[in-house]
Amino acid sequence: MTTEEKAKAYAENLPVAAATWGMRKSVIADAYLAGATEALASQWKDPKVELPETDADVVAIDANGLHIAAYFDGEWYSSDDEFTRNPQMWLPIPPPKGDPDSFDETDK
């Protein structure tokens, strides 16, 4: 089942209470799709396919485990001596919640 099909099925199977809130099923399906898109975009990245922006702090997994690392000028760095500088996966570290620098005008 595709994500779009799952969104439609989710909207169709909502409790009756959603209808009393005046929510259209298409709006609910769109919200489901937006959440699914964000969740998929936030998954682990393969460094052979995609690298972080330069000077980005990330969570990285290598043969020795999980590390906080940085990618700068084409090189991987970490203060962890166990880090091999050859990650198998990485994930961006999101800004902390409540950080005013993490918001833009569309978040208000």
Short mmCIF file of all heavy atoms in Angstrom, two decimals, residues 34-82:
data_model
loop_
_atom_site.label_atom_id
_atom_site.label_comp_id
_atom_site.label_asym_id
_atom_site.label_seq_id
_atom_site.Cartn_x
_atom_site.Cartn_y
_atom_site.Cartn_z
N ALA A 34 1.85 14.77 5.00
CA ALA A 34 2.91 15.69 5.43
C ALA A 34 3.73 15.06 6.55
O ALA A 34 4.96 15.14 6.56
CB ALA A 34 2.32 17.02 5.88
N GLY A 35 3.06 14.42 7.50
CA GLY A 35 3.77 13.76 8.59
C GLY A 35 4.61 12.60 8.10
O GLY A 35 5.75 12.41 8.54
N ALA A 36 4.06 11.81 7.19
CA ALA A 36 4.81 10.67 6.65
C ALA A 36 6.03 11.15 5.87
O ALA A 36 7.12 10.57 5.99
CB ALA A 36 3.90 9.83 5.74
N THR A 37 5.87 12.21 5.10
CA THR A 37 6.99 12.76 4.33
C THR A 37 8.11 13.22 5.26
O THR A 37 9.28 12.94 5.03
CB THR A 37 6.51 13.92 3.44
OG1 THR A 37 5.51 13.42 2.56
CG2 THR A 37 7.65 14.53 2.65
N GLU A 38 7.74 13.92 6.34
CA GLU A 38 8.74 14.39 7.30
C GLU A 38 9.42 13.22 7.99
O GLU A 38 10.64 13.21 8.16
CB GLU A 38 8.09 15.31 8.34
CG GLU A 38 9.04 15.79 9.42
CD GLU A 38 10.23 16.58 8.90
OE1 GLU A 38 10.13 17.22 7.84
OE2 GLU A 38 11.29 16.55 9.56
N ALA A 39 8.65 12.22 8.37
CA ALA A 39 9.23 11.05 9.05
C ALA A 39 10.23 10.34 8.15
O ALA A 39 11.32 9.95 8.59
CB ALA A 39 8.13 10.10 9.49
N LEU A 40 9.87 10.17 6.90
CA LEU A 40 10.78 9.50 5.96
C LEU A 40 12.03 10.33 5.70
O LEU A 40 13.12 9.80 5.54
CB LEU A 40 10.06 9.19 4.66
CG LEU A 40 8.98 8.10 4.76
CD1 LEU A 40 8.18 8.03 3.47
CD2 LEU A 40 9.58 6.76 5.12
N ALA A 41 11.87 11.65 5.67
CA ALA A 41 13.01 12.54 5.43
C ALA A 41 13.95 12.56 6.63
O ALA A 41 15.12 12.92 6.50
CB ALA A 41 12.53 13.95 5.12
N SER A 42 13.46 12.18 7.80
CA SER A 42 14.26 12.22 9.02
C SER A 42 14.93 10.90 9.34
O SER A 42 15.43 10.71 10.43
CB SER A 42 13.36 12.63 10.19
OG SER A 42 12.81 13.89 9.97
N GLN A 43 14.95 10.00 8.42
CA GLN A 43 15.56 8.70 8.67
C GLN A 43 17.07 8.75 8.42
O GLN A 43 17.60 9.72 7.89
CB GLN A 43 14.91 7.64 7.79
CG GLN A 43 13.47 7.39 8.19
CD GLN A 43 12.84 6.29 7.36
OE1 GLN A 43 13.42 5.79 6.41
NE2 GLN A 43 11.63 5.91 7.72
N TRP A 44 17.73 7.68 8.80
CA TRP A 44 19.17 7.58 8.63
C TRP A 44 19.58 7.74 7.17
O TRP A 44 18.90 7.27 6.27
CB TRP A 44 19.67 6.22 9.13
CG TRP A 44 19.56 6.09 10.61
CD1 TRP A 44 18.55 5.50 11.30
CD2 TRP A 44 20.47 6.59 11.59
NE1 TRP A 44 18.78 5.60 12.65
CE2 TRP A 44 19.96 6.26 12.85
CE3 TRP A 44 21.67 7.29 11.51
CZ2 TRP A 44 20.61 6.60 14.02
CZ3 TRP A 44 22.32 7.62 12.68
CH2 TRP A 44 21.79 7.27 13.92
N LYS A 45 20.68 8.42 6.94
CA LYS A 45 21.20 8.68 5.60
C LYS A 45 22.43 7.81 5.33
O LYS A 45 23.22 7.57 6.23
CB LYS A 45 21.61 10.16 5.46
CG LYS A 45 20.61 11.15 6.02
CD LYS A 45 19.58 11.53 5.03
CE LYS A 45 18.72 12.64 5.61
NZ LYS A 45 17.36 12.57 5.25
N ASP A 46 22.59 7.41 4.10
CA ASP A 46 23.75 6.64 3.67
C ASP A 46 24.80 7.63 3.16
O ASP A 46 24.55 8.36 2.19
CB ASP A 46 23.34 5.68 2.55
CG ASP A 46 24.47 4.82 2.04
OD1 ASP A 46 25.65 5.11 2.32
OD2 ASP A 46 24.17 3.84 1.34
N PRO A 47 26.00 7.69 3.76
CA PRO A 47 27.00 8.66 3.32
C PRO A 47 27.51 8.42 1.91
O PRO A 47 28.10 9.32 1.30
CB PRO A 47 28.12 8.53 4.35
CG PRO A 47 27.91 7.20 4.98
CD PRO A 47 26.46 6.89 4.89
N LYS A 48 27.27 7.24 1.35
CA LYS A 48 27.66 6.99 -0.03
C LYS A 48 26.67 7.64 -0.99
O LYS A 48 26.98 7.85 -2.16
CB LYS A 48 27.75 5.50 -0.30
CG LYS A 48 28.85 4.82 0.47
CD LYS A 48 28.86 3.33 0.24
CE LYS A 48 29.90 2.69 1.12
NZ LYS A 48 29.40 1.57 1.86
N VAL A 49 25.48 7.95 -0.49
CA VAL A 49 24.43 8.55 -1.31
C VAL A 49 24.27 10.03 -1.01
O VAL A 49 24.07 10.84 -1.91
CB VAL A 49 23.08 7.81 -1.06
CG1 VAL A 49 21.95 8.48 -1.79
CG2 VAL A 49 23.20 6.34 -1.43
N GLU A 50 24.36 10.39 0.27
CA GLU A 50 24.11 11.77 0.69
C GLU A 50 25.02 12.13 1.86
O GLU A 50 25.13 11.37 2.82
CB GLU A 50 22.65 11.92 1.10
CG GLU A 50 22.25 13.28 1.56
CD GLU A 50 20.78 13.35 1.95
OE1 GLU A 50 20.07 12.33 1.89
OE2 GLU A 50 20.35 14.45 2.31
N LEU A 51 25.67 13.27 1.76
CA LEU A 51 26.54 13.75 2.84
C LEU A 51 25.89 14.94 3.53
O LEU A 51 25.11 15.67 2.92
CB LEU A 51 27.90 14.16 2.28
CG LEU A 51 28.76 13.01 1.77
CD1 LEU A 51 29.96 13.55 1.00
CD2 LEU A 51 29.21 12.13 2.92
N PRO A 52 26.24 15.16 4.81
CA PRO A 52 25.70 16.34 5.49
C PRO A 52 26.28 17.62 4.91
O PRO A 52 27.30 17.59 4.21
CB PRO A 52 26.14 16.16 6.93
CG PRO A 52 26.98 14.95 7.00
CD PRO A 52 27.07 14.35 5.66
N GLU A 53 25.62 18.72 5.23
CA GLU A 53 26.19 20.02 4.86
C GLU A 53 27.52 20.16 5.60
O GLU A 53 27.71 19.60 6.68
CB GLU A 53 25.25 21.15 5.27
CG GLU A 53 23.95 21.15 4.50
CD GLU A 53 23.05 22.29 4.93
OE1 GLU A 53 23.53 23.27 5.54
OE2 GLU A 53 21.85 22.19 4.66
N THR A 54 28.43 20.92 5.03
CA THR A 54 29.72 21.10 5.70
C THR A 54 29.51 21.82 7.03
O THR A 54 28.63 22.66 7.16
CB THR A 54 30.71 21.84 4.79
OG1 THR A 54 32.02 21.70 5.36
CG2 THR A 54 30.38 23.29 4.61
N ASP A 55 30.29 21.45 8.01
CA ASP A 55 30.25 21.99 9.36
C ASP A 55 28.95 21.61 10.09
O ASP A 55 28.49 22.33 10.95
CB ASP A 55 30.42 23.51 9.34
CG ASP A 55 30.96 24.02 10.67
OD1 ASP A 55 31.50 23.23 11.46
OD2 ASP A 55 30.81 25.23 10.94
N ALA A 56 28.37 20.46 9.73
CA ALA A 56 27.14 20.00 10.37
C ALA A 56 27.46 18.97 11.44
O ALA A 56 28.27 18.07 11.22
CB ALA A 56 26.21 19.39 9.33
N ASP A 57 26.83 19.12 12.59
CA ASP A 57 26.92 18.10 13.63
C ASP A 57 25.86 17.05 13.35
O ASP A 57 24.72 17.36 13.02
CB ASP A 57 26.70 18.71 15.01
CG ASP A 57 27.82 19.64 15.42
OD1 ASP A 57 28.97 19.37 15.04
OD2 ASP A 57 27.54 20.63 16.11
N VAL A 58 26.25 15.78 13.47
CA VAL A 58 25.35 14.67 13.16
C VAL A 58 25.54 13.55 14.18
O VAL A 58 26.52 13.53 14.92
CB VAL A 58 25.60 14.12 11.74
CG1 VAL A 58 25.39 15.19 10.68
CG2 VAL A 58 26.98 13.51 11.62
N VAL A 59 24.60 12.64 14.18
CA VAL A 59 24.77 11.37 14.87
C VAL A 59 25.23 10.40 13.79
O VAL A 59 24.63 10.33 12.72
CB VAL A 59 23.45 10.89 15.51
CG1 VAL A 59 23.63 9.53 16.14
CG2 VAL A 59 22.94 11.90 16.52
N ALA A 60 26.31 9.70 14.05
CA ALA A 60 26.86 8.78 13.05
C ALA A 60 27.05 7.39 13.66
O ALA A 60 27.36 7.26 14.84
CB ALA A 60 28.20 9.30 12.54
N ILE A 61 26.83 6.39 12.83
CA ILE A 61 27.07 5.01 13.24
C ILE A 61 28.21 4.45 12.37
O ILE A 61 28.15 4.54 11.15
CB ILE A 61 25.81 4.14 13.06
CG1 ILE A 61 24.72 4.62 14.01
CG2 ILE A 61 26.14 2.67 13.31
CD1 ILE A 61 23.42 3.85 13.89
N ASP A 62 29.21 3.91 13.05
CA ASP A 62 30.29 3.23 12.33
C ASP A 62 30.45 1.83 12.92
O ASP A 62 29.61 1.39 13.70
CB ASP A 62 31.59 4.04 12.37
CG ASP A 62 32.22 4.11 13.74
OD1 ASP A 62 31.69 3.51 14.70
OD2 ASP A 62 33.26 4.77 13.87
N ALA A 63 31.51 1.15 12.57
CA ALA A 63 31.72 -0.21 13.04
C ALA A 63 31.82 -0.30 14.56
O ALA A 63 31.58 -1.36 15.15
CB ALA A 63 32.98 -0.79 12.40
N ASN A 64 32.17 0.80 15.22
CA ASN A 64 32.33 0.81 16.67
C ASN A 64 31.11 1.31 17.42
O ASN A 64 31.12 1.40 18.64
CB ASN A 64 33.55 1.64 17.07
CG ASN A 64 34.83 1.02 16.57
OD1 ASN A 64 34.95 -0.19 16.53
ND2 ASN A 64 35.77 1.84 16.17
N GLY A 65 30.06 1.69 16.71
CA GLY A 65 28.84 2.13 17.40
C GLY A 65 28.38 3.52 17.02
O GLY A 65 28.68 4.03 15.95
N LEU A 66 27.66 4.12 17.95
CA LEU A 66 27.01 5.42 17.75
C LEU A 66 27.90 6.54 18.27
O LEU A 66 28.47 6.43 19.36
CB LEU A 66 25.68 5.40 18.52
CG LEU A 66 24.73 6.54 18.34
CD1 LEU A 66 24.08 6.44 16.96
CD2 LEU A 66 23.65 6.48 19.41
N HIS A 67 28.01 7.62 17.49
CA HIS A 67 28.89 8.74 17.86
C HIS A 67 28.24 10.07 17.48
O HIS A 67 27.47 10.15 16.52
CB HIS A 67 30.22 8.66 17.11
CG HIS A 67 30.87 7.33 17.17
ND1 HIS A 67 31.66 6.93 18.21
CD2 HIS A 67 30.84 6.29 16.31
CE1 HIS A 67 32.10 5.70 17.99
NE2 HIS A 67 31.60 5.29 16.84
N ILE A 68 28.61 11.11 18.21
CA ILE A 68 28.32 12.47 17.76
C ILE A 68 29.53 12.87 16.92
O ILE A 68 30.67 12.75 17.36
CB ILE A 68 28.16 13.44 18.95
CG1 ILE A 68 27.03 12.99 19.87
CG2 ILE A 68 27.93 14.85 18.44
CD1 ILE A 68 25.67 12.96 19.22
N ALA A 69 29.26 13.29 15.70
CA ALA A 69 30.35 13.59 14.77
C ALA A 69 30.06 14.89 14.04
O ALA A 69 28.97 15.45 14.14
CB ALA A 69 30.52 12.45 13.77
N ALA A 70 31.04 15.36 13.31
CA ALA A 70 30.89 16.54 12.48
C ALA A 70 31.47 16.22 11.11
O ALA A 70 32.39 15.43 10.97
CB ALA A 70 31.62 17.73 13.09
N TYR A 71 30.88 16.86 10.12
CA TYR A 71 31.38 16.73 8.75
C TYR A 71 31.85 18.11 8.33
O TYR A 71 31.07 19.07 8.33
CB TYR A 71 30.26 16.21 7.84
CG TYR A 71 30.73 15.95 6.43
CD1 TYR A 71 31.46 14.81 6.14
CD2 TYR A 71 30.43 16.83 5.41
CE1 TYR A 71 31.89 14.56 4.85
CE2 TYR A 71 30.86 16.58 4.12
CZ TYR A 71 31.59 15.45 3.84
OH TYR A 71 32.02 15.21 2.57
N PHE A 72 33.13 18.23 7.99
CA PHE A 72 33.69 19.55 7.66
C PHE A 72 34.69 19.41 6.53
O PHE A 72 35.64 18.62 6.62
CB PHE A 72 34.35 20.15 8.90
CG PHE A 72 34.86 21.54 8.70
CD1 PHE A 72 33.98 22.61 8.61
CD2 PHE A 72 36.21 21.78 8.58
CE1 PHE A 72 34.44 23.90 8.41
CE2 PHE A 72 36.69 23.06 8.38
CZ PHE A 72 35.80 24.13 8.31
N ASP A 73 34.47 20.16 5.48
CA ASP A 73 35.38 20.18 4.32
C ASP A 73 35.72 18.78 3.81
O ASP A 73 36.87 18.45 3.54
CB ASP A 73 36.67 20.93 4.65
CG ASP A 73 36.48 22.44 4.67
OD1 ASP A 73 35.45 22.91 4.13
OD2 ASP A 73 37.35 23.14 5.20
N GLY A 74 34.70 17.93 3.70
CA GLY A 74 34.89 16.61 3.14
C GLY A 74 35.47 15.57 4.08
O GLY A 74 35.79 14.46 3.66
N GLU A 75 35.61 15.91 5.35
CA GLU A 75 36.18 14.98 6.33
C GLU A 75 35.22 14.82 7.51
O GLU A 75 34.50 15.74 7.88
CB GLU A 75 37.52 15.51 6.86
CG GLU A 75 38.61 15.61 5.81
CD GLU A 75 39.13 14.26 5.37
OE1 GLU A 75 39.12 13.30 6.17
OE2 GLU A 75 39.55 14.15 4.21
N TRP A 76 35.26 13.64 8.11
CA TRP A 76 34.48 13.34 9.30
C TRP A 76 35.35 13.53 10.54
O TRP A 76 36.52 13.15 10.54
CB TRP A 76 33.99 11.89 9.26
CG TRP A 76 32.96 11.66 8.21
CD1 TRP A 76 33.18 11.22 6.93
CD2 TRP A 76 31.56 11.84 8.33
NE1 TRP A 76 31.99 11.11 6.26
CE2 TRP A 76 30.97 11.48 7.10
CE3 TRP A 76 30.72 12.25 9.37
CZ2 TRP A 76 29.61 11.54 6.87
CZ3 TRP A 76 29.35 12.31 9.15
CH2 TRP A 76 28.82 11.96 7.92
N TYR A 77 34.77 14.11 11.59
CA TYR A 77 35.50 14.35 12.84
C TYR A 77 34.63 13.97 14.03
O TYR A 77 33.41 14.06 13.97
CB TYR A 77 35.88 15.83 12.97
CG TYR A 77 36.81 16.31 11.89
CD1 TYR A 77 36.30 16.90 10.74
CD2 TYR A 77 38.18 16.17 12.02
CE1 TYR A 77 37.14 17.33 9.73
CE2 TYR A 77 39.03 16.60 11.01
CZ TYR A 77 38.50 17.18 9.88
OH TYR A 77 39.34 17.61 8.89
N SER A 78 35.27 13.59 15.12
CA SER A 78 34.60 13.34 16.38
C SER A 78 35.63 13.38 17.49
O SER A 78 36.80 13.03 17.28
CB SER A 78 33.90 11.99 16.38
OG SER A 78 33.31 11.73 17.64
N SER A 79 35.20 13.80 18.67
CA SER A 79 36.13 13.77 19.82
C SER A 79 36.20 12.37 20.42
O SER A 79 37.03 12.10 21.28
CB SER A 79 35.67 14.77 20.88
OG SER A 79 34.38 14.44 21.34
N ASP A 80 35.37 11.48 19.93
CA ASP A 80 35.36 10.08 20.39
C ASP A 80 36.48 9.32 19.70
O ASP A 80 36.50 9.17 18.48
CB ASP A 80 34.00 9.47 20.06
CG ASP A 80 33.82 8.07 20.60
OD1 ASP A 80 34.82 7.44 20.97
OD2 ASP A 80 32.67 7.61 20.64
N ASP A 81 37.44 8.82 20.48
CA ASP A 81 38.57 8.09 19.92
C ASP A 81 38.17 6.81 19.20
O ASP A 81 38.92 6.29 18.38
CB ASP A 81 39.59 7.74 21.01
CG ASP A 81 40.29 8.97 21.56
OD1 ASP A 81 40.34 10.00 20.86
OD2 ASP A 81 40.77 8.90 22.71
N GLU A 82 36.99 6.29 19.52
CA GLU A 82 36.51 5.05 18.89
C GLU A 82 35.95 5.29 17.48
O GLU A 82 35.73 4.35 16.74
CB GLU A 82 35.42 4.42 19.77
CG GLU A 82 35.90 3.98 21.13
CD GLU A 82 36.82 2.78 21.04
OE1 GLU A 82 36.50 1.84 20.30
OE2 GLU A 82 37.87 2.80 21.71
#
